[in-house]
Amino acid sequence: MNFKEFLQQNIVILDGGMGTLLQERGLQPGEQPERWNISHPEDITAIHKAYFDNGSNVVNTNTFGANLLHYDEAELTAVIGAAFANAQKAREMSTAPQEKFIALDIGPTGRLLKPLGDLDFEEAVTVFAKTAQIGAQCGVDLVMIETMNDSYETKAALLAVKETCDLPVLVSNAYTDKGKLMTGASPAAMTAMLESMGADAIGVNCSFGPDKLQPIVEEYLRCASIPVILKANAGMPTNVGGKTLYNILPPSFADITARMVQKGVRVAGGCCGTTPEYIKELCDSIQNSVNYTIPQSPSGDSLLAGSGSPSVAARRLPNGEHLSQREPNRFEIKKKNTTVISSYTDAVTFADDPVLIGERINPTGKKRLKEALRNNELDYILSEGLKQQSAGAQVLDVNVGLPEIDEPAMLSKVVYELQAIIDLPLQIDTSDPVAMEQALRVYNGKPLINSVNGKQESMDAIFPLMKKYGGTAIALTLDENGIPDTVEGRVAIAKRIIDTAASYGIDKKDLIFDTLAMAVSADNNAAKVTLGSLNVIRHELGAHTSLGVSNISFGLPQRDIVNATFFALPLETGLSAAIMNPFSAEMMKTYYAYRVLKGLDENCADYIAFADTVQSNITINEKSAGSAVDEQLTLRGAVTKGLKEPAAKLCKELLQTVAPLTIVNEHIIPALDEVGREYEQGRVYLPGLLMSAEAAKCAFEEIKATLSDTGGKTKCAFVIATVHGDIHDIGKNIVKLLLENYGFSVSDLGKDVPPEEIVNETVRLHAPLVGLSALMTTTVPAMEETIRQLRVSAPWAKIVVGGAVMTKEYAASIGADQYAKDAMDTVRYAEMINDHLVNG
């Protein structure tokens, strides 16, 4: 049985932690665990065998950090080859009867992708592809992408694997205590993207114990139509006598995880701190709690140690009835049939509540936008996006089609830049398949694709792209013969599109039909045919619908009157989404009133807020909507919105009349504080925080020379590093960027830094602050050793620590002065220490 078949028919038991077990066997601080595949193969094999012996169906190769950023190609090939050989030997040695598979383990690169970091998306794809290629050539059964805390890096890894081989792929993400990825994605958003891209199972690992991960897993179970993974830590780490221990013991871990299996989890195992004992307890708990027999391989004729369970060939009830007769669909996962798209943070679902798609980033009839596209004025295009978001748009259409520009390059660029500052999903709008593919490739999330139609050429171009990159498509009811003038003709095209999509493996839920609003000025029956087609497709075919509403009034005076009235008709017929101008007051009145009357606006809250703006004579138009980006934009506003070029421009203008330090203290720092508070309260996510910091950095560049000339002083020195043996520096780089914007003099020593180097730099600068970061459990001893040496050689320094493996209690136990849960926490602590130094 291959793994994909096994996954569909069974509960899959994964292995547990590796790093803590290697430490027990002598892995030294700063030593790369992957190199043990070659230097200590017997230890790696023994650990894998212990997991197989205790019930694991899948063991991960010891390759979590094995990629081209950390090893050259020759060593990478040797490391992965040895890793597979060790796992293969363990599989051959284990006599446990269950099915056994080997997964190529792929962890994060340790770097943040652009625009938030310095790693290019295509470079990340190349890095992951090489690891996948070597693993596939070795003969692994599947790929496990795990501990990813950024949606964009997750996409790069999955895309790389899918482009490299046809192995099954499991994808697991690491979440923060806010229930989001570090860069802001919700479980619903990750489900939308990964399921659409063809992952075979998705879920969560690391970060916390199974108790704390339960709400996240439950959101996966509500959204996912594929198996869900739970691979939790053994709780939180503590330091006891210099040894890292975890606070959830095997029986409790197994009991909590088994309860989640009862709720629908289909792939379960352990992460940091878990051992073969945890996996044995988990197997026993699952068998007891869900009356499940762990199936044997075809050759297995012995019982799983300690389970007392019969083989799969004898899965019979006491009355002799075979279990499959009683529960033939027991492990079948219910298809959710949800039509959904996503940004890098959130999912937008198409259901009864109509979705507004802002139409303003489209050069048709827009002279100023055409100029911006020709002149590469991205700031203007970004401002159109921000204003539509403020006006109530839930999705933004992005069309840059002008014959005189390079549409593929411009579309990708606009999509990339919009996603840097706006968390709404985008509708990628082009008739050029090359432009479409390039934009889909860089898009972070599950996009709305505009569009496919009934022409065979169109379907053959768009459906393969949807299958590869994911997405939901707007499907136009036209074909080679044009737009039918009857309901029957448009419905027939919709049916043909549904059937053709199915042949590509694309479900009807990922098609939204536009029945094409045609100008009533040219055809008195145009509205009737559009509405009739929409009614049949929505209620008889069961598909969602969309309309470009304003087309109905083309050629008529006072178009808003016709548009607003017409808008109400498809809404009542079941319209799922409208592509419209969110600055049209009349259209928005119809929208908000409709939602109230249909019971979609709880306590009429949205309508009242909208009505208040009308009552206050705040006109909704392109200049004032949300006061997002217009001629009134201030430096503070540019920084809070993450607009880099406007921030630099506005700062330069202010320098003509305002002292540099005044600009820093009254404009830039208050903006950073505002975004920082929003971030701490969970209303802004890491991308917003970082883009704000980048905008502030652009402003600082304008005033740096002037500030120096006028005697401006920076704050105290801050030495920062990722500790020896740890090659992950995302968190450190974020902290560095924010500290520099707040005026600290940061000495960044990089990653994998020996304790002696950190101590020497602290002494050289007599730095009052040192920041240490660690992501991996195996590198915490190096952090503890660094703190010990700092206490001896630089006793004046305050030490702040952070990272995925840290807790407040753990930080205190290894001698740190402060635990920082995130970057802003570090800034607040540094500000307090600096104030104390200045004021005594």
Side-chain angles (χ1 to χ4, degrees), residues 720-732:
I720 192 168
T722 300
V723 298
H724 191 36
D726 205 315
I727 41 71
H728 301 86
D729 63 356
I730 292 175
K732 172 189 68 67

Side-chain angles (χ1 to χ4, degrees), residues 27 133 152 224 251 256 325 346 350 476 501 556 600 639 648 656 723 787 799:
L27 181 73
Q133 178 190 14
Y152 210 24
I256 299 167
Q325 293 175 275
D346 297 302
F350 295 82
L476 308 181
L556 294 175
L600 300 170
V639 171
Q656 298 176 16
V723 298
I787 293 172
I799 305 168

Side-chain angles (χ1 to χ4, degrees), residues 42-256:
E42 66 285 349
D43 288 296
I44 304 300
T45 299
I47 292 170
H48 289 327
K49 180 178 180 296
Y51 280 121
F52 276 137
D53 288 347
N54 284 278
S56 293
N57 297 118
V58 177
V59 299
N60 286 346
T61 55
N62 180 35
T63 53
F64 181 82
N67 61 60
L68 288 174
L69 297 179
H70 309 141
Y71 300 90
D72 63 37
E73 187 169 343
E75 186 178 15
L76 182 65
T77 301
V79 163
I80 295 175
F84 174 74
N86 295 335
Q88 176 76 328
K89 185 176 181 180
R91 177 162 59 180
E92 293 168 353
M93 292 172 61
S94 175
T95 59
Q98 78 277 8
E99 292 274 5
K100 304 181 190 72
F101 303 94
I102 297 171
L104 175 69
D105 192 26
I106 296 180
T109 62
R111 290 168 61 184
L112 203 55
L113 271 64
K114 296 177 181 178
L116 306 180
D118 62 354
L119 183 61
D120 183 76
F121 178 80
E122 290 299 339
E123 184 182 354
V125 172
T126 299
V127 166
F128 290 125
K130 177 54 69 174
T131 298
Q133 178 190 14
I134 297 170
Q137 289 171 347
C138 289
V140 298
D141 301 300
L142 65 146
V143 176
M144 177 80 185
I145 298 168
E146 64 172 341
T147 324
M148 295 285 175
N149 53 21
D150 170 36
S151 61
Y152 210 24
E153 185 175 28
T154 309
K155 174 176 178 172
L158 179 55
L159 183 62
V161 174
K162 302 291 274 187
E163 289 183 334
T164 303
C165 63
D166 59 0
L167 293 171
V169 190
L170 279 56
V171 184
S172 183
N173 291 99
Y175 286 81
T176 69
D177 57 359
K178 296 183 175 76
K180 307 273 189 179
L181 297 191
M182 178 185 70
T183 48
S186 67
M190 293 308 298
T191 299
M193 180 180 77
L194 296 174
E195 190 172 304
S196 186
M197 288 182 66
D200 293 283
I202 56 176
V204 57
N205 79 290
C206 206
S207 302
F208 305 103
D211 51 341
K212 295 291 197 304
L213 293 177
Q214 183 170 329
I216 298 170
V217 174
E218 288 174 344
E219 187 172 350
Y220 269 100
L221 292 171
R222 284 192 296 272
C223 299
S225 296
I226 57 178
V228 170
I229 303 164
L230 172 57
K231 197 169 186 277
N233 289 350
M236 300 303 291
T238 56
N239 184 279
V240 179
K243 185 177 181 181
T244 300
L245 300 177
Y246 286 78
N247 64 358
I248 297 181
L249 297 177
S252 295
F253 175 91
D255 179 63
I256 299 167

Side-chain angles (χ1 to χ4, degrees), residues 774-786:
L775 175 76
M776 302 166 64
T777 306
T778 54
T779 59
V780 173
M783 180 180 281
E784 185 174 10
E785 174 60 18
T786 303

Side-chain angles (χ1 to χ4, degrees), residues 427-743:
Q427 175 172 278
I428 301 173
D429 185 355
T430 178
S431 58
D432 181 345
V434 175
M436 180 65 77
E437 177 162 19
Q438 290 187 19
L440 290 176
R441 192 171 181 88
V442 302
Y443 183 79
N444 188 358
K446 181 184 180 183
L448 192 55
I449 296 169
N450 192 9
S451 59
V452 69
N453 60 56
K455 296 178 182 179
Q456 194 63 45
E457 179 185 18
S458 173
M459 293 186 285
D460 289 343
I462 296 301
F463 288 150
L465 298 181
M466 286 181 65
K467 191 65 179 173
K468 179 175 182 177
Y469 298 106
T472 294
I474 299 293
L476 308 181
T477 52
L478 62 86
D479 61 11
E480 289 84 353
N481 298 314
I483 303 172
D485 57 7
T486 65
V487 170
E488 293 76 16
R490 296 187 196 184
V491 171
I493 292 173
K495 290 179 178 178
R496 189 162 66 251
I497 292 172
I498 291 172
D499 290 342
T500 305
S503 71
Y504 282 91
I506 296 169
D507 196 85
K508 178 177 62 178
K509 70 181 178 62
D510 283 323
L511 299 171
I512 298 175
F513 287 91
D514 188 332
T515 55
L516 301 170
M518 307 299 290
V520 291
S521 61
D523 180 359
N524 287 339
N525 292 314
K528 294 180 183 179
V529 175
T530 297
L531 293 171
S533 305
L534 189 151
N535 183 55
V536 173
I537 291 171
R538 182 72 188 97
H539 300 293
E540 295 184 21
L541 300 188
H544 284 288
T545 58
S546 176
L547 278 179
V549 178
S550 60
N551 294 337
I552 200 76
S553 64
F554 186 78
L556 294 175
Q558 299 293 317
R559 293 181 63 185
D560 261 1
I561 298 173
V562 177
N563 292 344
T565 304
F566 173 70
F567 189 22
L569 300 179
L571 285 173
E572 179 58 22
T573 305
L575 184 68
S576 309
I579 304 174
M580 57 171 287
N581 178 7
F583 305 136
S584 167
E586 297 304 315
M587 294 275 281
M588 296 302 282
K589 288 175 185 177
T590 299
Y591 170 73
Y592 284 110
Y594 169 81
R595 293 185 70 249
V596 166
L597 296 172
K598 295 296 286 188
L600 300 170
D601 184 358
E602 188 172 356
N603 299 320
C604 306
D606 294 337
Y607 175 81
I608 291 170
F610 172 76
D612 285 345
T613 65
V614 175
Q615 184 68 31
S616 303
N617 295 317
I618 302 176
T619 305
I620 299 178
N621 58 51
E622 295 181 26
K623 289 186 178 180
S624 66
S627 62
V629 178
D630 51 38
E631 66 275 6
Q632 309 269 319
L633 182 66
T634 63
L635 175 57
R636 179 167 178 169
V639 171
T640 58
K641 294 181 184 301
L643 297 170
K644 294 181 285 187
E645 291 184 18
K649 179 181 177 183
L650 289 164
C651 184
K652 191 171 184 179
E653 292 173 356
L654 272 178
L655 282 168
Q656 298 176 16
T657 57
V658 181
L661 285 177
T662 301
I663 294 174
V664 172
N665 294 325
E666 297 183 8
H667 296 266
I668 299 176
I669 296 300
L672 290 170
D673 283 340
E674 179 183 340
V675 176
R677 286 191 298 271
E678 294 280 301
Y679 173 74
E680 290 168 330
Q681 294 164 9
R683 293 199 291 266
V684 167
Y685 302 117
L686 182 63
L689 182 70
L690 291 183
M691 295 313 296
S692 174
E694 289 289 351
K697 186 177 180 180
C698 290
F700 274 123
E701 290 299 319
E702 294 293 333
I703 65 175
K704 188 177 290 184
T706 309
L707 188 61
S708 175
D709 292 343
T710 56
K713 295 181 179 178
T714 57
K715 295 174 183 175
C716 68
F718 194 119
V719 174
I720 192 168
T722 300
V723 298
H724 191 36
D726 205 315
I727 41 71
H728 301 86
D729 63 356
I730 292 175
K732 172 189 68 67
N733 291 343
I734 294 167
V735 171
K736 174 191 174 185
L737 177 62
L738 291 178
L739 286 171
E740 288 177 336
N741 278 332
Y742 274 83

